[in-house]
Amino acid sequence: MLTLTQFRYGADNFSYVVSGPTSAVAIDPGAVDEILAFVDARGLDLTHVINTHTHPDHTVGNTPLILRSKATHLDIPALRRQGRLEIDGEPLIVHYTPGHMDDCLTFEIKGRLITGDTLFNGTVGTCFSGDMESFYRSVTFLLTFPDDTKIYAGHDYVQESMAFARIIEPENEKEIARYLTLYDPDHVVSTLGDEKRANPFLRFNEPNLVKTMKQRDLPVATERDRWHSVMELY
């Protein structure tokens, strides 16, 4: 099975390396020195550099990492065309998940999703694209994965997100508190089931949040309405 390793850089960004026995791919590689040390220590061939989307904080490491390795950059259009990468014969599957930006991707390796700024641990990304309908389709697509799927995001916003969750859904305090007990800043990960229980932006059909939407005169008639409305609470 492919190994997924997380590296923190900047204030709260994450890079990832997906590796097999001999090869590796770097995702959002801002942690250039740490990634190079990791692959060198394990004798891995860094074959590709890829990104979840093209915001500069996610692409800042591309050029220095490519210059210091033999890796090839695959841009987002190429990744979308290919639909997958092979790493030592194992697939890294590419999913198009626009909303935060028009070019957002989610990468799937067995039982794990690298969601970039589409889905964070505890919240979702800001809809900079302005395309809330595409964001709705992306989020509802991610919700179709099994509850034990592990979520690896582009930033660590856990504490701020749960503080906000307490404001807009105080009735969910037990699950929010449980979520925070699972938080490890040295390895930030959750399951999709954890997200469904605590992340208010995946709970837009929950009665408590629907009540809050109604109190703010936001539309709730359809699931799409409720998605748009919960994002208005952001």
Side-chain angles (χ1 to χ4, degrees):
M1 187 171 75
L2 295 174
T3 297
L4 178 59
T5 307
Q6 183 182 76
F7 302 87
R8 186 184 286 265
Y9 70 97
D12 48 46
N13 277 81
F14 291 124
S15 297
Y16 295 96
V17 170
V18 181
S19 56
T22 66
S23 302
V25 169
I27 300 172
D28 294 349
V32 175
D33 291 340
E34 293 86 349
I35 290 169
L36 288 170
F38 178 85
V39 297
D40 288 347
R42 289 156 180 78
L44 297 171
D45 178 21
L46 184 65
T47 61
H48 293 93
V49 170
I50 61 177
N51 300 101
T52 58
H53 63 295
T54 54
H55 267 162
D57 59 319
H58 293 261
T59 62
V60 64
N62 288 4
T63 297
L65 187 57
I66 290 164
L67 290 174
R68 294 171 62 184
S69 70
K70 297 178 181 179
T72 298
H73 180 240
L74 279 179
D75 65 16
I76 285 169
L79 288 164
R80 288 185 63 189
R81 287 193 300 271
Q82 290 186 197
R84 62 195 285 147
L85 277 178
E86 296 289 327
I87 305 171
D88 290 337
E90 296 289 331
L92 180 151
I93 299 169
V94 180
H95 299 290
Y96 180 46
T97 52
H100 172 68
M101 287 181 67
D102 290 331
D103 63 1
C104 285
L105 302 177
T106 291
F107 300 116
E108 177 189 355
I109 57 177
K110 189 174 183 181
R112 292 156 288 178
L113 294 174
I114 303 159
T115 53
D117 289 7
T118 300
L119 174 61
F120 295 124
N121 307 100
T123 185
V124 295
T126 301
C127 188
F128 288 121
S129 71
D131 186 354
M132 199 68 77
E133 179 62 21
S134 288
F135 211 162
Y136 167 73
R137 290 195 298 267
S138 296
V139 166
T140 52
F141 166 70
L142 294 176
L143 285 169
T144 66
F145 283 83
D147 279 1
D148 61 355
T149 303
K150 292 183 177 179
I151 305 299
Y152 289 90
H155 294 266
D156 177 6
Y157 294 148
V158 169
Q159 291 180 319
E160 304 94 318
S161 298
M162 290 298 101
F164 185 71
R166 281 180 162 133
I167 293 170
I168 64 170
E169 196 182 9
E171 301 88 350
N172 200 32
E173 172 60 29
K174 181 179 178 181
E175 289 297 341
I176 293 168
R178 175 187 174 277
Y179 190 97
L180 285 168
T181 66
L182 301 174
Y183 170 59
D184 177 1
D186 294 324
H187 185 76
V188 180
V189 64
S190 57
T191 67
L192 187 58
D194 296 331
E195 296 303 317
K196 290 178 180 179
R197 287 186 289 269
N199 183 339
F201 298 97
L202 300 189
R203 294 172 55 77
F204 46 89
N205 291 317
E206 291 297 318
N208 290 329
L209 282 172
V210 173
K211 180 180 177 181
T212 298
M213 295 172 202
K214 288 179 177 178
Q215 289 170 345
R216 300 192 187 186
D217 294 323
L218 295 168
V220 297
T222 68
E223 184 177 85
R224 278 181 170 80
D225 287 338
R226 294 189 288 276
W227 160 255
H228 285 259
S229 294
V230 78
M231 291 295 281
E232 288 292 320
L233 303 176
Y234 205 178

